[in-house]
Amino acid sequence: MVRWCDGEMVTLHSSTPQHHNTTTSIMALLFGCGVMMMIAGNMEVVTRNIRYSWSLVFYVMAGVELFLWLWHTIFLPGGTHGYAKPKPTMGLHRGEFRISLRRMLKRKDDITALTFFVLFLLPDTLLALTAPLFLIAKPHNGGLGLSPQEFAFTQGTIAIIAIALGYTLGGKAIKKHGLRRWLLPSALLLAVPGAALLFLSYNTAAPLSIVAAALAAGHAALGFALSMVKQVVVRFTRNMPDNTLRHAIARTLIATPFVIVGSLASLMLTIADYQHIFQLATELAVVPLIVSVFCLYLTHRQPQAE
């Protein structure tokens, strides 16, 4: 439950399914990106066969998925009708989307939120695919040259734990002080991931502990910012008849810049090296700062509402 208090959006109660979905997603990432990648890396060392090692890992993951499917199908409670309402064959009607989109484009708050979703995480779009490539690239190619085990430990375990901690701290900060107080600091923190990778690009011989600490700092800052994005999504969808569609639009707009920039990652690496890309990502942190100031200005005189 969310309300406005003294011009600030404050979370009163947040025991929603989204919280449990977030926890489940973090656990899935820790298992898939952390544990299984480290097992694959160790299998490569033992068997000296990359194809066999990764095939075995995917067979294990497929077995886990099959077990979970059987568990949910056989043992978990359910009914003949389930919990979801029947939908038309083609899903959402096109007319509903047009009506909702027209309604959104008429409200200043909705236009501001849509702009926020597209631009707030812009600095991290440059790092989504280039950072993993930088970690595994050989030093003579400008990378750190991490082994599969080291890559899984830093990017798949340490980074995911740092994101979870940052996300949790951000949620607690919003619950205690409101979104307005922490929106600008979170925008400033979006410069940390790029700065951490820029530091590593100038110190490619850094020990694994320094690499893990730098990645942990960057991902913790990103997790803190993601908690702000979640609260803006909550505000964008709450008390709306088309909240399901609004939630889908918000997630789509958040992911779109990552897809576009990610598809150009190889092209960027042919034009510029890792250092210039990370420097650009750090400088682009001014974009979420401007967007945050713009959002705070427009919502400064919001009336109190429950």
Side-chain angles (χ1 to χ4, degrees):
M1 183 176 178
V2 180
R3 71 179 179 89
W4 283 91
C5 180
D6 296 331
E8 293 191 2
M9 188 178 72
V10 181
T11 303
L12 299 180
H13 184 66
S14 59
S15 59
T16 62
Q18 293 180 3
H19 171 74
H20 302 293
N21 290 340
T22 302
T23 304
T24 305
S25 300
I26 292 173
M27 295 301 295
L29 287 172
L30 281 174
F31 177 76
C33 297
V35 176
M36 298 310 296
M37 286 180 65
M38 283 193 288
I39 292 176
N42 286 289
M43 287 293 295
E44 287 184 24
V45 175
V46 173
T47 63
R48 302 294 181 181
N49 191 324
I50 297 177
R51 181 177 180 180
Y52 172 78
S53 301
W54 283 97
S55 297
L56 181 62
V57 165
F58 279 107
Y59 283 135
V60 171
M61 295 183 69
V64 172
E65 293 287 343
L66 178 62
F67 169 76
L68 292 176
W69 173 70
L70 291 174
W71 178 268
H72 281 72
T73 304
I74 299 174
F75 297 104
L76 291 186
T80 56
H81 301 290
Y83 298 97
K85 296 181 179 179
K87 295 186 297 184
T89 304
M90 299 301 293
L92 187 68
H93 289 294
R94 187 169 54 184
E96 297 176 15
F97 177 79
R98 285 201 300 263
I99 293 172
S100 298
L101 186 61
R102 193 180 303 117
R103 187 186 298 120
M104 282 184 244
L105 295 179
K106 289 181 179 179
R107 302 180 72 243
K108 292 182 179 179
D109 287 351
D110 289 344
I111 296 175
T112 303
L114 295 175
T115 305
F116 179 90
F117 296 144
V118 175
L119 298 178
F120 187 73
L121 295 176
L122 185 62
D124 197 61
T125 59
L126 292 174
L127 309 176
L129 289 182
T130 56
L133 296 176
F134 165 71
L135 295 178
I136 63 177
K138 299 301 180 182
H140 62 268
N141 291 327
L144 296 180
L146 298 183
S147 66
Q149 304 96 310
E150 293 171 337
F151 175 79
F153 174 71
T154 55
Q155 186 75 3
T157 303
I158 297 297
I160 301 302
I161 293 175
I163 285 182
L165 291 176
Y167 188 88
T168 303
L169 289 176
K172 291 183 177 181
I174 294 173
K175 186 175 181 180
K176 185 174 182 180
H177 300 292
L179 177 64
R180 291 182 61 87
R181 180 175 297 185
W182 291 103
L183 190 58
L184 284 179
S186 67
L188 291 173
L189 285 176
L190 284 175
V192 176
L197 289 169
L198 183 62
F199 166 77
L200 292 177
S201 68
Y202 282 100
N203 298 273
T204 55
L208 185 62
S209 58
I210 300 298
V211 174
L215 293 177
H219 283 80
L222 177 60
F224 192 91
L226 288 176
S227 66
M228 307 298 151
V229 176
K230 179 204 170 186
Q231 287 301 320
V232 177
V233 173
V234 170
R235 178 188 169 190
F236 180 67
T237 58
R238 75 181 191 273
N239 299 329
M240 292 293 179
D242 55 347
N243 58 350
T244 301
L245 177 59
R246 283 172 168 262
H247 194 270
I249 290 176
R251 285 182 172 270
T252 302
L253 291 178
I254 292 171
T256 298
F258 287 87
V259 175
I260 295 175
V261 178
S263 63
L264 301 175
S266 59
L267 179 61
M268 290 189 299
L269 290 174
T270 59
I271 298 175
D273 56 11
Y274 291 111
Q275 291 181 355
H276 287 90
I277 292 176
F278 298 153
Q279 182 178 356
L280 178 60
T282 307
E283 294 171 351
L284 280 178
V286 70
V287 175
L289 186 62
I290 294 174
V291 172
S292 300
V293 171
F294 182 68
C295 292
L296 292 175
Y297 173 76
L298 290 182
T299 59
H300 181 66
R301 298 184 179 276
Q302 283 286 346
Q304 294 184 7
E306 292 262 350

